Amino acid sequence: MLSVLMNMKKIILDLAVTLDGFIEGPNGEVDWCIMDEDMDFAGFMSGIDTIFYGRVSYDAWGNYQPETSADPVEKQLWNDIHSKQKFVFSSQTRADEHATFIPSDVAQRVSEIKAQGGKDIWLYGGASLIRSFIQLGLIDIYRISVHPVALGSGKPLFENLKDRVQLNLIRTNTFKSGVVQLIYEQK
């Protein structure tokens, strides 16, 4: 049993937030989000083999293709993202050759996916899926990048919590842009 737990995938919420705790502006905008070269997003991507999406996020980003004029780094980023196994948590199921849709039994299905072994899982979002995973205690690692901007309103990361979320800080990273990344594990 112990060896199974040690080989189990971890669910990592890797997310940008504003200094005042929002993951999106009031109109869904994320134009404040900074991608620094020194953030080593490629290193993060190399440690995952699965991405969890909500349906709205999947429809917006799950098959996104950058413009042909995009720089090679952006194109490589999207190639890396699209090379991962994708699961979409939604009451709307549909056939999709790029993703598996999961309409119910979230905790059970997540447990089954984690037990398959392999690399970790990126909980991409959106907001309602993240909220559900927080409420169900399914997130193993919170990798939160705090951006040096305050919006005043928008979609908060933590909203309507039923219980406190107890976390242990395991690492901090600071970047040249002023972004501070806080990495926590669930207690």
Side-chain angles (χ1 to χ4, degrees):
M1 174 73 171
L2 183 59
S3 65
V4 170
L5 289 175
M6 290 176 61
N7 293 327
M8 196 173 277
K9 296 173 175 257
K10 290 186 174 155
I11 296 175
I12 302 170
L13 174 62
D14 180 71
L15 191 65
V17 299
T18 62
L19 187 59
D20 52 350
F22 296 106
I23 61 175
E24 293 179 5
N27 300 307
E29 61 273 20
V30 292
D31 58 337
W32 48 268
C33 189
I34 301 165
M35 283 293 284
D36 275 342
E37 293 173 11
D38 58 338
M39 288 179 170
D40 191 25
F41 191 71
F44 169 72
M45 290 300 294
S46 71
I48 66 165
D49 61 11
T50 305
I51 303 175
F52 286 169
Y53 292 92
R55 186 197 49 80
V56 173
S57 290
Y58 178 73
D59 287 347
W61 299 106
N63 292 306
Y64 174 82
Q65 293 299 320
E67 298 290 327
T68 54
S69 61
D71 76 33
V73 173
E74 181 181 357
K75 289 179 180 180
Q76 184 59 51
L77 168 101
W78 285 104
N79 284 338
D80 289 349
I81 289 171
H82 295 318
S83 72
K84 311 301 179 182
Q85 185 175 18
K86 299 175 184 179
F87 292 90
V88 180
F89 294 84
S90 173
S91 59
Q92 295 181 6
T93 59
R94 64 179 186 236
D96 187 309
E97 64 185 66
H98 302 291
T100 301
F101 277 68
I102 298 175
S104 61
D105 301 322
V106 171
Q108 176 63 35
R109 291 299 308 274
V110 165
S111 180
E112 292 167 3
I113 294 165
K114 286 178 72 170
Q116 293 172 357
K119 295 181 181 181
D120 291 328
I121 300 165
W122 178 16
L123 174 57
Y124 184 92
S128 64
L129 181 65
I130 292 168
R131 190 170 37 254
S132 295
F133 272 61
I134 291 170
Q135 297 288 7
L136 293 168
L138 297 174
I139 300 170
D140 299 299
I141 303 289
Y142 288 76
R143 189 176 131 120
I144 307 300
S145 297
V146 181
H147 290 247
V149 62
L151 299 179
S153 64
K155 276 190 187 166
L157 172 55
F158 297 103
E159 183 177 43
N160 301 322
L161 294 175
K162 295 177 187 169
D163 298 306
R164 290 181 182 179
V165 177
Q166 299 287 337
L167 305 169
N168 288 323
L169 181 66
I170 56 176
R171 190 168 63 243
T172 60
N173 300 311
T174 56
F175 304 105
K176 62 185 172 195
S177 64
V179 171
V180 177
Q181 187 178 69
L182 306 167
I183 303 175
Y184 296 93
E185 63 184 2
Q186 180 111 9
K187 273 190 181 179

